[in-house]
Amino acid sequence: MSHMLTKKLPPVQSVLFLVSRRASQLSRQRYDVIVVGGGHAGTEAAAAAARIGAETLLVTQKIQTIGALSCNPSLGSVGKGHLVREVDALDGLCGRAGDWAGIHFSVLNRSKGPAVWGPRAQLDRQRYREFIQAELLSTPRLTVLEGSVEELLVSDPNPAEPGNHRVTGIRLANGSQLISASSVVLTTGTFLSGSLFVGQTSSPGGRMGDAPSSSGLTQTLRDRLGLRVGRLRTGTPPRLLKDSVDLSLAKLHPPDCQPTPFSFMNTHTHCKPEEQLPCYLIYTTPGVERVVRESLHLNCHIQQDAKGPRYCPSIESRVLRFPGRSHQVWLEPEGLTSDLLYPQGLSMTMPPDVQLRLIREIPSLHRAEIHTPGYGVQYDYVCPTQLSPALQVKNTQGLFLAGQINGTTGYEEAAAQGLWAGVNAARSALCRPPAALSRTESYIGVLVDDLVSRGVTEPYRMFTSRAEFRTSLRPDNADLRLTMKGFELGCVSAVRHHEAIRVHCSIQKAMAALQSLTMSSDSWRQKLPGIGMSENKHQKLSGMDLLQYKDVSFKMLASVFPESLSPYMEFSQRLKIEAVYKPHYDQNKSEIQRIQSEERMLLPQDINYFTLPVSLSQEVREILDRFRPTTLGAATRLEGMTPAAIANLFKYVRITRRQESTMSGKQAGHEERGGEEPCKRKAMLPQ
């Protein structure tokens, strides 16, 4: 199960040489899928599309920056760690890359229930980049091209499918090279019309040292395809020289003694427990606030209207929003051999000399030296309500979007979207129906549904509170929820599928064994003296019931019933968690089934809500026309939708579906009798 951690990675230089292609050297000028961008969304999209079976081309400006951690060298945390585990369950890259590159592993939120635990790791930047590049190199049907995309090739749509346009490929910059494809996935990150800000200066770019994407790409999206485009901003802190920081004045935060891998395929991490590095906690001082306020006139980025990330704000935003407070700053290592520290919480865009003044107002940083100053980025994004749940642009056939171009923030959110867009882009190219993930079965489903149903007004970050059924969507069971489905879709390997089946069968057998161990509460107290069971409790209880007690572990039960339970010790923690949350799942089961039923009721995309013969207010009609939800379930989550409107829409959908079924039956009968009436069915409702 740990084969990924024992293989030797080739040197970065050899990887770059082997995967690099010039446009003139491409073996073909047509691909099933083209992915534009080599960040977290792009790498997952390209790898997923290739796993599905599509001939895939990944186009990136610089091959050596594929897999680069542009901001914080970390992966996971509460909510985000759930996404990493789900991406891994679908055979994505980032979980295994995190296990290879991690240098400080911890599970956050352990004081709360396992459903909201947050697996997290600090990463070695170079190791992470090397792993991702090596994985792409070894992926069949995947070609990597270094280049910049000038524009999308757009043609008339296929009249048999919904949409006003069709994307048929890309045109590369600095020439007229055309490359055709059935599907194109845009994962431009912060590079779409990106601008960098330091102090009062600005320059084009999506990351320091890299150019922005071509302006022709933005023009194609906005002018040719008519998409609504907005503007967002983010930032990154200065990198500090480790030797110049007085860590004796900071609070030491060690990693977990035993690292918890992200990947279900790994039993251990590449970094040994004793080799892990610590992080350090420090706090801002009144002097930091003073420097921020004195330098506001020198900081044009903070004065811009573009919305920044609420949950990862700059130190300027934190000081202005919460004056008079002391703010946390985490000093995090950038690698096992790196001489740099990443000060998480000190993102800033003031002039470099002012940045130095500010950090030296913190005691442990009073002699700190800056290696690279912090800076801000502003970039375009496409309003994601214009996408389907497959992450395809509704009005444009063959075009998929993933990552920050959809208004999200964070590596994990980008990776999850990239994988799902890659899966659907490949399925579209191979003439297979789109795949969907319900918000009842995954955090990826929650993420996608939130984006396409509600849109964003600020950079979107995943939290466990966004999931209605988070007690079922846990980090520990992502493989049981998604791997079998991923195998059916074609994006999961036979090796991973076999392992998931083994785990599923073992856990089912163990739960059945626990359920069969039924005794009276008095008998249980005799078998397990000291457990916190009330003396007043007199009823029959199963082993599953006993596991719900806080002070009862699977190991304790296995010691009493070794013949029945000892074969399943490998899954002791997972069985404990399953038992704890079983009552919650049983309670939510009917609600989950109701939502899944609503999500199966499709709404036609060409429907005219203003003439729909249903009792709906003008406001509701405008909401439905603006967001054009793809399912009844998505419509229920639109802000402004009333219970009466949902009920009336439900009746309309049910009647329409019944009529469609009747017409289909008549059509089938007519064809059996040799009729030649052409089928004019629109894409409506499934049976």
Side-chain angles (χ1 to χ4, degrees), residues 287-302:
V288 169
E289 182 169 341
R290 185 183 68 251
V291 173
V292 167
R293 294 189 180 280
E294 289 175 353
S295 63
L296 285 177
H297 65 289
L298 301 175
N299 193 336
C300 62
H301 182 68
I302 199 67

Side-chain angles (χ1 to χ4, degrees), residues 355-640:
Q355 293 187 29
L356 186 61
R357 277 176 48 206
L358 184 146
I359 65 170
R360 289 186 172 180
E361 291 291 338
I362 301 174
S364 60
L365 306 182
H366 64 291
R367 292 180 181 172
E369 295 292 342
I370 292 177
H371 177 270
T372 308
Y375 61 91
V377 187
Q378 292 187 18
Y379 56 95
D380 285 345
Y381 78 100
V382 174
C383 301
T385 54
Q386 299 166 106
L387 307 180
S388 74
L391 296 180
Q392 180 175 355
V393 176
K394 291 178 182 177
N395 77 348
T396 305
Q397 300 165 6
L399 179 60
F400 298 77
L401 309 182
Q404 284 179 286
I405 192 174
N406 290 339
T408 61
T409 180
Y411 306 146
E412 303 83 358
E413 291 85 351
Q417 292 173 74
L419 183 144
W420 201 238
V423 165
N424 277 298
R427 289 180 66 82
S428 175
L430 299 175
C431 299
R432 301 174 191 169
L437 279 176
S438 167
R439 64 186 297 122
T440 64
E441 64 180 334
S442 66
Y443 273 86
I444 298 177
V446 172
L447 167 66
V448 171
D449 185 63
D450 282 350
L451 292 176
V452 304
S453 297
R454 302 172 182 174
V456 300
T457 56
E458 61 188 13
Y460 178 102
R461 184 207 190 277
M462 178 52 69
F463 289 104
T464 54
S465 58
R466 296 190 188 274
E468 299 91 332
F469 304 106
R470 52 187 170 275
T471 56
S472 300
L473 310 182
R474 306 185 305 271
D476 66 279
N477 67 0
D479 56 341
L480 302 183
R481 291 185 280 114
L482 297 176
T483 298
M484 269 73 89
K485 180 166 187 170
F487 183 74
E488 293 173 2
L489 294 175
C491 68
V492 167
S493 69
V495 173
R496 183 182 289 270
H497 181 241
H498 184 270
E499 173 63 10
I501 289 177
R502 182 189 76 85
V503 171
H504 173 75
C505 292
S506 297
I507 289 178
Q508 290 299 312
K509 289 177 181 177
M511 290 172 65
L514 285 165
Q515 199 66 42
S516 68
L517 297 172
T518 303
M519 296 187 296
S520 67
S521 52
D522 291 334
S523 298
W524 280 116
R525 278 191 287 268
Q526 292 174 9
K527 293 276 188 183
L528 299 170
I531 63 173
M533 184 186 297
S534 171
E535 294 289 340
N536 298 323
K537 198 175 190 73
H538 300 286
Q539 64 185 83
K540 286 201 169 186
L541 299 171
S542 70
M544 283 292 284
D545 296 327
L546 259 289
L547 262 187
Q548 293 171 20
Y549 283 79
K550 187 175 182 180
D551 52 356
V552 176
S553 67
F554 182 82
K555 185 178 181 180
M556 291 169 59
L557 295 178
S559 67
V560 178
F561 303 99
E563 289 188 7
S564 300
L565 301 181
S566 58
Y568 309 109
M569 282 302 300
E570 174 189 351
F571 308 103
S572 57
Q573 185 184 53
R574 295 185 68 161
L575 289 165
K576 172 70 175 179
I577 296 172
E578 288 286 348
V580 167
Y581 286 110
K582 187 177 185 300
H584 298 272
Y585 176 77
D586 293 341
Q587 185 178 356
N588 292 333
K589 194 171 183 180
S590 61
E591 181 67 10
I592 290 173
Q593 290 173 343
R594 181 189 67 79
I595 291 178
Q596 289 176 342
S597 175
E598 291 175 346
E599 289 179 338
R600 285 193 293 268
M601 302 182 77
L602 304 182
L603 296 173
Q605 287 305 290
D606 58 353
I607 191 171
N608 187 335
Y609 286 105
F610 294 107
T611 61
L612 200 66
V614 180
S615 178
L616 299 173
S617 69
Q618 184 65 19
E619 180 184 5
V620 166
R621 292 178 188 273
E622 290 174 357
I623 292 170
L624 290 169
D625 183 69
R626 180 185 176 193
F627 290 98
R628 308 204 69 80
T630 55
T631 67
L632 183 68
T636 65
R637 292 183 285 275
L638 293 177
E639 188 174 349

Side-chain angles (χ1 to χ4, degrees), residues 238-251 280-282 329-332 339-343 346 356 359-360 362-371:
R239 310 307 195 259
L240 308 179
L241 291 173
K242 187 175 182 178
D243 290 342
S244 68
V245 176
D246 188 350
L247 295 175
S248 67
L249 300 178
K251 183 179 180 181
Y280 299 86
L281 178 62
I282 59 177
V329 177
W330 290 93
L331 300 178
E332 301 170 339
D339 58 355
L340 301 180
L341 288 175
Y342 180 96
L346 283 183
L356 186 61
I359 65 170
R360 289 186 172 180
I362 301 174
S364 60
L365 306 182
H366 64 291
R367 292 180 181 172
E369 295 292 342
I370 292 177
H371 177 270

Side-chain angles (χ1 to χ4, degrees), residues 197-224:
F197 292 82
V198 181
Q200 293 180 294
T201 65
S202 66
S203 59
R207 178 173 53 212
M208 193 66 76
D210 294 320
S213 62
S214 169
S215 59
L217 208 50
T218 300
Q219 287 181 334
T220 303
L221 296 173
R222 185 175 52 216
D223 300 336
R224 182 73 191 275

